[in-house]
């Protein structure tokens, strides 16, 4: 049943329940990440799934996808039939499809190849029929409604085009009917006009009877798109909302619990203070941040990064922009580890690209050791002692076919004496030393990069850029993405040790534990700008989350909570 207004689809009592989950629990060690979770989604319904970081959203999605097996007693049915838990094939066979935040595309493959690998190729006489395969994929892309060159490697496509390819792959019905589509933060890399286009696609799919679970931190998207919303907090369902009850104020109240009233009062007070300050002259010169010795309260709007001392910053960025970033200023001092936090789409994901000035992005001004860098790019930055360490997304941090030693010394092979000839023994010996320092296992420099686990690949790249390159500044993106617990602790210890010896570090992470474990202060982004800063003495998950969420609260105060 279609309901007029901003909430498109609500299931009536006569409509069948497409997906029903009950008594879903999951325990990791001593941590209970899901507690008796229940979820219902009707045919043609768009159901929002919201909660703070760590609320259990991702784990619940993995349960539905068969990637995580819940504790005994969980019951999940699709169309009234039980779903085999812990089995991705069973989930797929029941018509459940997933578009994960990281998309799961092979960057070197075309759209046609990615979809073929995911759902099967069109074949004739045992061989791939490429003309028919391309035609099928083009039809899927047309259904999504986003123009994409299906013969171009997806790594060369725009973010919105890659998202379209992932959705098209999920809609391929050559291996069975698609009944439920789950999207995890699908708009994190999309500009506003493309978000509206995606919404039109999703509404069309729901009108055709496909159930949709939509996961997003962007509450405005939830209120405009979803007919029902399930709210998770600390692994539990704390609310099920529908229709006109879906308001930003209600979502925040349920997501934050008892913290909501405190944050609302602080936000109102800050908003009043900002209004009063509008009539007063600024206390400091434009672009210099807060006055020396003055702190920035968590959640304060417009906060600039504050140097820990009067020493000259080793790296100064003025007007940093790329993607959603919009004029961010950052000062970084020797021995300092500065974190960058923010919800998906806040600009956090664009930090490394912006600092590296890739594709025309960058800053209006970049200063290194007090000297202006006219036209920074990754190679120029490396020559000036600034390295960019990419998070291990899609295994793109190293060259898979190269050995560990070759990856370590790719930027400047280890050379002995003045002959400038590569000495394999010297290179191998040096590689062993770096692998031991960074606890890379197995300790074999001759293994190909792909033969190491994700955590050890990440440690190899940190060894390459922190130890081999010997920089003065390291900009690190998602340092523990896909890394096991043991490797995480090693990475934390290594980064802290290098900072103690004078390395300046800027680290952007979606995992707040990374920032809490390493950083001397953390700047928080929202809407492409700095919306707050958290000092070491105040740094914990609740405080950082409060600052990240404050933008929504401020919207609520200024709009009256509608």
């Amino acid at each position: 049943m279609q309901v007029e207004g901003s909430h498109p689809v609500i299931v009536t009592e006569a409509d069948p329940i497409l997906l029903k989950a009950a008594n879903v629990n999951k325990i990791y060690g001593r941590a209970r990440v899901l507690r008796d979770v229940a979820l219902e989604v009707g045919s043609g319904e768009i159901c929002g799934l919201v909660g703070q970081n760590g609320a259990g959203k991702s784990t619940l999605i993995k349960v539905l996808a068969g990637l995580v097996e819940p504790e005994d007693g969980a019951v999940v049915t699709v169309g009234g039939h039980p779903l085999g838990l812990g089995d991705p094939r069973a989930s797929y066979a029941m018509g459940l499809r997933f578009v994960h935040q990281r998309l799961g595309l092979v960057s070197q493959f075309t759209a046609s190849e990615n979809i073929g690998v995911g759902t099967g190729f069109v074949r004739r006489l045992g061989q791939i029929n490429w003309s028919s395969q391309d035609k099928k994929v083009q039809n899927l892309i047309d259904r999504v409604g986003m123009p994409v060159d299906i013969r171009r490697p997806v790594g060369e496509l725009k973010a919105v085009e890659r998202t379209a390819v992932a959705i098209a792959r999920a809609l391929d019905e050559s291996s069975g009917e698609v009944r439920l589509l789950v999207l995890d933060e699908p708009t994190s890399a999309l500009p506003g006009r493309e978000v509206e286009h995606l919404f039109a696609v999703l509404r069309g799919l729901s009108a055709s009877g496909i159930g949709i679970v939509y996961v997003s931190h962007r509450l405005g998207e939830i209120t405009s798109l979803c007919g029902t919303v399930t709210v998770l907090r600390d692994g539990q369902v704390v609310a099920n909302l529908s229709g006109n009850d879906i308001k930003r104020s209600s979502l925040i109240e349920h997501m934050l619990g008892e913290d909501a009233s405190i944050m609302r009062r602080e936000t109102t007070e800050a908003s009043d203070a900002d209004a009063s300050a509008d009539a007063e002259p600024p206390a400091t010169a434009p672009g210099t941040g807060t006055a020396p010795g003055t702190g920035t309260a968590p959640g304060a709007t417009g906060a600039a990064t504050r140097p820990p001392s009067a020493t000259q910053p080793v790296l100064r960025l003025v007007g940093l922009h790329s993607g959603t970033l919009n004029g961010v200023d950052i000062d970084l001092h020797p021995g300092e580890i500065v974190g960058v936090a923010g919800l998906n789409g806040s600009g956090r994901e664009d930090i490394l690209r912006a600092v590296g000035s890739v594709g025309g992005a960058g800053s209006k001004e970049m200063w290194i050791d007090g000297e202006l860098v006219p036209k920074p790019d990754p190679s120029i930055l490396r020559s000036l002692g600034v390295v960019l360490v990419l998070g291990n997304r899609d295994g793109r941090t190293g060259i898979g076919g190269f050995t560990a030693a070759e990856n370590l010394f790719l930027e400047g092979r280890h050379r002995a004496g003045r002959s400038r000839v590569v000495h394999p023994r010297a290179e191998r010996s040096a590689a062993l030393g770096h692998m031991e320092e960074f606890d890379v296992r197995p300790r074999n420099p001759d293994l190909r990069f792909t033969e190491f686990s994700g955590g050890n690949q990440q440690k190899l790249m940190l060894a390459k850029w922190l130890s081999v390159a010997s920089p003065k500044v390291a900009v690190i993106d998602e340092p523990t993405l896909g890394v096991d617990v043991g490797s995480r602790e090693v990475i934390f210890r290594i980064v802290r040790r290098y900072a103690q010896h004078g390395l300046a570090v800027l680290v952007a992470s979606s995992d707040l534990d990374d920032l809490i474990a390493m950083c001397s202060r953390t700047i928080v982004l929202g809407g492409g700008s700095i919306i707050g800063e958290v000092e070491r003495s105040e740094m914990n998950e609740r405080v950082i989350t409060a600052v990240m969420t404050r933008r929504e609260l401020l919207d609520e105060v200024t709009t009256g909570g509608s």
Side-chain angles (χ1 to χ4, degrees):
M1 173 182 176
Q2 183 86 15
V3 177
E4 294 184 2
S6 61
H7 306 288
V9 180
I10 297 178
V11 177
T12 66
E13 294 182 359
D15 292 325
I17 298 299
L18 173 61
L19 173 76
K20 186 173 184 178
N23 198 36
V24 179
N25 293 273
K26 184 60 188 177
I27 300 173
Y28 290 112
R30 297 181 180 180
R32 194 178 189 92
V33 295
L34 292 179
R35 301 171 180 267
D36 300 320
V37 169
L39 176 69
E40 291 188 357
V41 183
S43 297
E45 177 182 353
I46 302 179
C47 174
L49 182 63
V50 301
Q52 296 187 67
N53 291 338
K57 305 185 301 296
S58 295
T59 303
L60 177 58
I61 290 172
K62 290 176 182 177
V63 168
L64 299 178
L67 300 174
V68 167
E69 187 171 2
E71 311 304 319
D72 292 342
V75 177
V76 180
T77 60
V78 180
H81 300 284
L83 174 66
L85 301 175
D87 183 0
R89 292 170 299 180
S91 178
Y92 192 89
M94 296 290 277
L96 275 59
R97 302 290 186 269
F98 299 83
V99 178
H100 297 286
Q101 184 178 342
R102 297 187 181 100
L103 301 182
L105 300 172
V106 180
S107 59
Q108 298 92 336
F109 286 5
T110 66
S112 194
E113 290 167 338
N114 267 284
I115 291 177
V117 169
T119 62
F121 290 94
V122 177
R123 296 180 180 272
R124 183 179 182 184
L125 301 177
Q127 301 295 319
I128 297 174
N129 187 328
W130 284 109
S131 61
S132 297
Q133 173 68 17
D134 289 347
K135 182 178 180 180
K136 182 189 83 167
V137 170
Q138 191 61 61
N139 289 336
L140 291 170
I141 293 294
D142 290 344
R143 184 180 180 188
V144 174
M146 177 67 60
V148 174
D149 184 349
I150 66 172
R151 297 178 182 86
R152 187 178 179 184
V154 298
E156 299 177 4
L157 299 177
K158 297 178 182 178
V160 64
E161 294 171 332
R162 292 195 295 270
T163 301
V165 172
I167 294 175
R169 180 181 57 189
L171 295 178
D172 186 359
E173 294 188 331
S174 58
S175 300
E177 179 187 8
V178 178
R179 308 179 71 183
L180 180 77
L181 183 62
V182 180
L183 299 104
D184 186 6
E185 298 287 356
T187 64
S188 60
L190 303 187
R193 62 184 182 279
E194 304 300 354
V195 170
E196 286 302 319
H197 183 89
L198 174 63
F199 284 4
V201 171
L202 296 181
R203 291 182 179 118
L205 294 175
S206 72
S208 71
I210 294 177
I212 296 173
V213 175
Y214 188 88
V215 183
S216 179
H217 283 295
R218 297 178 175 180
L219 301 187
E221 295 180 3
I222 296 295
T223 58
S224 66
L225 178 68
C226 300
T228 62
V229 178
T230 294
V231 184
L232 292 178
R233 186 175 73 240
D234 297 328
Q236 294 178 290
V237 175
V238 294
N240 287 295
L241 307 176
S242 62
N244 293 328
D245 291 333
I246 302 175
K247 298 179 180 179
R248 181 187 283 113
S249 56
S250 299
L251 294 173
I252 293 173
E253 194 78 32
H254 291 300
M255 287 170 60
L256 302 183
E258 61 183 15
D259 289 336
S261 58
I262 298 173
M263 291 175 58
R264 183 174 289 104
R265 183 174 64 251
E266 291 176 348
T267 300
T268 304
E269 292 170 354
S271 181
D272 292 342
D274 289 345
S276 299
D278 286 342
E280 300 177 5
T284 58
T288 59
T290 57
T294 62
T296 301
T301 58
T305 54
R306 178 174 57 84
S309 68
T311 61
Q312 175 177 275
V314 64
L315 178 68
R316 167 163 285 177
L317 302 162
V318 181
L320 197 66
H321 66 276
S322 175
T324 55
L325 285 177
N326 183 26
V328 171
D329 299 347
I330 299 176
D331 281 358
L332 194 62
H333 290 73
E336 188 180 26
I337 305 177
V338 175
V340 180
L343 300 174
N344 293 311
S346 64
R348 182 203 72 238
E349 308 96 323
D350 299 316
I351 283 291
L352 184 136
R353 175 182 175 85
V355 175
S357 304
V358 178
S363 59
K364 293 180 180 178
E365 292 183 0
M366 176 183 290
W367 300 75
I368 298 177
D369 286 333
E371 297 290 332
L372 180 66
V373 183
K375 294 182 179 180
D377 64 35
S379 61
I380 290 175
L381 291 178
R382 282 196 296 271
S383 70
L384 296 173
V386 180
V387 297
L388 311 175
V389 186
L390 181 68
N392 192 26
R393 287 193 180 99
D394 305 321
R396 293 182 293 163
T397 54
I399 298 179
F402 282 22
T403 66
E406 289 169 337
N407 270 281
L408 283 172
F409 302 113
L410 187 63
E411 301 301 317
R413 300 288 294 268
H414 185 79
R415 304 178 191 280
R418 299 182 179 179
S419 63
R420 303 185 65 81
V421 176
V422 174
H423 290 267
R425 287 187 180 180
E427 184 175 86
R428 191 177 190 280
S429 176
L432 277 171
H434 292 300
M435 294 175 78
E436 182 174 358
E437 179 189 0
F438 283 74
D439 194 31
V440 178
R441 304 180 186 183
R443 204 92 78 222
N444 184 349
D446 301 321
L447 283 181
R448 287 178 299 183
F449 188 76
T450 53
E451 296 180 90
F452 291 91
S453 67
N456 285 290
Q457 289 178 1
Q458 189 74 334
K459 286 186 284 185
L460 273 170
M461 290 299 97
L462 285 170
K464 171 182 178 176
W465 292 117
L466 301 190
S467 184
V468 177
S470 299
K472 61 180 70 172
V473 177
V475 182
I476 306 176
D477 181 48
E478 298 288 5
T480 66
L481 185 65
V483 170
D484 62 81
V485 174
S487 294
R488 287 167 63 94
E489 293 301 321
V490 172
I491 290 170
F492 294 158
R493 186 169 66 250
I494 288 170
V495 174
R496 289 195 298 260
R497 185 173 73 242
Y498 272 78
Q500 288 169 359
H501 286 82
L503 179 68
V505 181
L506 184 67
V507 55
S509 179
S510 59
D511 191 330
L512 298 186
D513 288 340
D514 290 357
L515 308 180
I516 294 167
M518 291 187 288
C519 297
S520 49
R521 59 189 173 96
T522 292
I523 61 176
V524 183
L525 300 180
S529 302
I530 295 177
I531 60 173
E533 180 177 331
V534 182
E535 299 292 343
R536 180 68 200 172
S537 61
E538 302 168 312
M539 202 177 298
N540 59 54
E541 184 173 349
R542 189 192 71 80
V543 171
I544 298 175
T545 301
V547 181
M548 290 194 301
T549 315
R550 184 181 184 276
R551 186 178 184 87
E552 296 287 354
L553 285 168
L554 185 59
D555 288 344
E556 178 195 344
V557 170
T558 56
T559 60
S562 59

